Amino acid sequence: MTTKIIMDTDPGIDDAAALTMAINDPSIDLKLVTAVAGNVTVDKTTANALKIIHFFGKDIPVAAGAEQPLIKPFEDAARIHGESGMPGYDFGNDYGQPIKTTAVEALHDAIMAEDEVTLVPTGSYTNIALLFSEYPEVKSHIKRIVAMGGSMSGGNMTSVAEFNVFTDPDAARIMYNSGIPIVMVGLDVTLKALLTKDTIEKLGQMNKTGEMLHALITHYNDGTDEGRPMHDVNTIFYLLHPEAFTTKKMWVDVQTEGPTIGATVGDVRAAYHDGKTNAEVCLDIDADYFNKWFLDEVSKMN
Ligand code: RIB
Ligand code: CA
């Protein structure tokens, strides 16, 4: 039984690793990839998604999405992911073109073609918010959203805000108020499940895929030599091994202005919203299991 997913991404080195896992794991059926401005501009994130899909010789459509957030000015993360968004490896120039339709149109068509599909956003949620605003009917075809982003334990952009939510907090609020079940895969787990130095070294000696990921990760400016966070890969790890996570259901609000803009605020005491919840928040993870799984997955690739 395969899980049908659509990834909305901003490759980005950890997005590239997440796409690698989604493309190659036999229990995942990746129907569509949409790109959004985030780590780098959307022309680059679109090209990078095409490069990864072409690297594996797959025929998965890629659609280009939003060039900027709904309201907040766009700020990239090229300081972390390099100017290209995927430095260190030559993917060549013959990696194809995105489909002609926009990300929102492609998302609508792909979702409405399925009874139920899982959305996996690993960049800002601008495309998702635009989709729900323009085509609310898609919501009944979405089983759940497994989103990288947010944090209950401090930010990586400000003291409280994580990059994907900080980039477009207004879109994040729309997504969290959509009524669709959300699994929040935030910094609470992605900063624990660091790829160790040993894992990264083993990657480089494994196969062509390992070499490619090793080349990207050694040009990645997030984390330290002791460990690199593969934030987005944790969404795919959750889909395949939810037992590796500790989660808690709660209502999550998103701050959209002021000094806490981009913060995800969890109603952990169920003090508001009449005890209703809109998200299952990942609060802990088996980091050793993540490293073992990461190497095991890549070892099965070419
Ligand atoms: O905060 C981490 C997130 O921001 C990841 O999705 C990374 O790719 C960047 O987009
Ligand atoms: Ca990302």
Side-chain angles (χ1 to χ4, degrees):
M1 170 79 171
T2 59
T3 300
K4 292 176 181 173
I5 75 168
I6 293 171
M7 288 185 73
D8 186 69
T9 71
D10 63 339
I13 292 165
D14 57 327
D15 303 75
L19 281 167
T20 294
M21 301 307 186
I23 287 166
N24 288 285
D25 192 283
S27 53
I28 290 179
D29 180 3
L30 179 58
K31 307 299 283 185
L32 167 70
V33 175
T34 50
V36 66
N39 285 322
V40 288
T41 52
V42 70
D43 56 323
K44 294 177 182 176
T45 60
T46 302
N48 289 338
L50 288 164
K51 288 172 187 174
I52 293 295
I53 290 168
H54 181 261
F55 178 89
F56 292 108
K58 298 294 183 183
D59 182 20
I60 300 168
V62 175
E67 294 180 353
Q68 59 192 3
L70 298 182
I71 298 171
K72 194 165 173 285
F74 175 56
E75 295 174 60
D76 72 23
R79 69 192 177 286
I80 304 289
H81 295 265
E83 282 307 315
S84 72
M86 280 191 343
Y89 190 85
D90 182 2
F91 290 90
N93 296 313
D94 180 24
Y95 44 78
Q97 292 292 323
I99 58 176
K100 295 278 184 261
T101 50
T102 65
V104 168
E105 295 300 328
L107 284 163
H108 168 266
D109 296 348
I111 292 167
M112 296 306 284
E114 306 292 347
D115 291 334
E116 63 172 21
V117 68
T118 298
L119 275 190
V120 181
T122 63
S124 71
Y125 311 133
T126 312
N127 289 337
I128 308 295
L130 291 169
L131 171 71
F132 291 169
S133 304
E134 193 161 344
Y135 297 110
E137 67 272 21
V138 300
K139 293 181 183 179
S140 61
H141 292 248
I142 299 170
K143 178 182 179 184
R144 62 180 174 174
I145 299 172
V146 180
M148 196 281 138
S151 176
M152 296 295 151
S153 52
N156 59 358
M157 287 304 289
T158 68
S159 57
V160 292
E162 176 279 327
F163 179 80
N164 288 342
V165 178
F166 182 76
T167 296
D168 196 339
D170 303 283
R173 173 174 282 185
I174 289 170
M175 189 179 87
Y176 273 91
N177 289 344
S178 66
I180 299 169
I182 294 174
V183 177
M184 180 177 131
V185 184
L187 298 180
D188 314 277
V189 293
T190 69
L191 289 178
K192 288 179 188 164
L194 303 178
L195 273 200
T196 64
K197 193 173 176 180
D198 180 58
T199 296
I200 295 166
E201 282 172 9
K202 284 177 178 165
L203 267 182
Q205 295 144 28
M206 193 167 269
N207 52 28
K208 191 166 168 279
T209 301
E211 283 167 27
M212 180 268 286
L213 292 175
H214 180 271
L216 297 183
I217 293 168
T218 50
H219 288 78
Y220 181 39
N221 296 320
D222 198 348
T224 67
D225 285 345
E226 293 317 304
R228 301 280 177 192
M230 288 283 105
H231 304 282
D232 299 329
V233 180
N234 288 271
T235 60
I236 306 305
F237 186 49
Y238 177 86
L239 279 175
L240 297 170
H241 295 288
E243 72 279 7
F245 292 77
T246 304
T247 65
K248 180 177 172 61
K249 289 191 175 184
M250 64 182 82
W251 190 277
V252 174
D253 286 301
V254 181
Q255 297 291 94
T256 56
E257 59 187 7
T260 60
I261 188 169
T264 44
V265 182
D267 185 6
V268 289
R269 300 169 62 90
Y272 312 100
H273 306 291
D274 305 322
K276 287 187 298 190
T277 65
N278 62 352
E280 186 155 5
V281 177
C282 296
L283 294 174
D284 206 353
I285 187 170
D286 182 334
D288 293 339
Y289 191 173
F290 177 77
N291 273 269
K292 183 187 174 305
W293 167 79
F294 196 104
L295 285 175
D296 192 42
E297 287 285 278
V298 176
S299 73
K300 297 170 190 167
M301 301 173 195
N302 296 322

